[in-house]
């Protein structure tokens, strides 16, 4: 009977870490992928950048894009339906998050007045045109 022991990598020794639970709580509260952030992809498409942000379940009216100087901020708010939840509500577990979500991006080197936005199927797409480098006009100097 003793030869049928399950294989355990740590040989049955489980080190106790008293602060492990606190560290996991801190990571969940302050991590960049926490409740107040959302995933974005940024790629270069010729003379512009394409920023795609996942905002599933959001209404277009609840998404705000603000430009302040050289900072672009995307914010969205999802509000909860206020309903009483008791033993008879049928919820076993409720994990959908409600609250505000926000991300800011540095847009130095972008033509802020030409930024365009579209929202479709839970994905916000921003086209960020690059600033064009002005090439100085060539000219010939006369020697005096």
């Amino acid at each position: 009977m003793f030869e049928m022991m399950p294989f355990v990598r740590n040989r049955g020794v489980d080190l106790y870490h008293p602060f492990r639970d606190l560290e996991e709580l801190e990571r969940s509260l302050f991590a960049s992928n926490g409740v107040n952030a959302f995933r974005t992809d940024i790629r270069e498409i010729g003379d512009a950048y394409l920023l795609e942000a996942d905002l599933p379940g959001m209404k277009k009216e609840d998404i705000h894009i603000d430009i302040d100087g050289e900072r672009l901020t995307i914010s969205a708010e999802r509000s909860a339906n206020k309903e009483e939840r008791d033993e008879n509500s049928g919820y076993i577990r409720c994990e959908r998050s409600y609250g505000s979500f926000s991300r800011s991006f540095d847009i130095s080197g972008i033509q802020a007045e030409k930024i365009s936005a579209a929202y479709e199927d839970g994905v916000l797409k921003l086209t960020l045109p690059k600033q064009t480098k002005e090439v100085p006009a060539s000219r010939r100097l006369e020697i005096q």
Side-chain angles (χ1 to χ4, degrees):
M1 186 81 123
F2 291 108
E3 62 274 351
M4 300 282 300
M5 299 291 285
F7 175 75
V8 179
R9 287 190 186 271
N10 61 6
R11 307 241 190 270
V13 177
D14 189 19
L15 299 175
Y16 175 67
H17 298 285
F19 297 107
R20 181 182 298 156
D21 292 335
L22 289 174
E23 289 172 355
E24 289 177 12
L25 176 66
E26 180 184 17
R27 261 188 248 113
S28 69
L29 290 175
F30 300 110
S32 64
N33 61 354
V35 174
N36 64 345
F38 46 86
R39 305 278 185 193
T40 60
D41 294 333
I42 301 173
R43 53 188 173 125
E44 190 172 2
I45 51 169
D47 58 349
Y49 296 103
L50 178 65
L51 184 145
E52 296 175 308
D54 285 342
L55 296 167
M58 294 286 187
K59 297 177 185 171
K60 188 179 356 179
E61 301 81 34
D62 295 335
I63 301 171
H64 305 287
I65 304 167
D66 299 308
I67 299 173
D68 184 21
E70 293 184 345
R71 176 177 291 186
L72 178 128
T73 302
I74 302 170
S75 57
E77 187 170 352
R78 186 182 329 205
S79 58
N81 295 332
K82 303 289 183 193
E83 61 183 62
E84 295 296 320
R85 295 180 181 162
D86 57 355
E87 297 107 32
N88 299 327
S89 67
Y91 282 105
I92 296 172
R93 184 175 181 125
C94 185
E95 292 184 343
R96 294 185 293 167
S97 60
Y98 298 97
S100 60
F101 306 86
S102 178
R103 293 270 314 256
S104 293
F105 301 91
D106 177 25
I107 57 168
S108 56
I110 300 294
Q111 296 180 34
E113 63 278 354
K114 294 186 179 179
I115 294 175
S116 62
Y119 182 68
E120 183 178 347
D121 295 332
V123 178
L124 175 68
K125 294 181 182 183
L126 296 176
T127 304
L128 310 163
K130 297 178 188 177
Q131 285 184 348
T132 56
K133 295 180 182 176
E134 293 185 24
V135 179
S138 62
R139 60 185 181 128
R140 180 170 286 176
L141 294 175
E142 294 295 325
I143 302 173
Q144 298 180 356

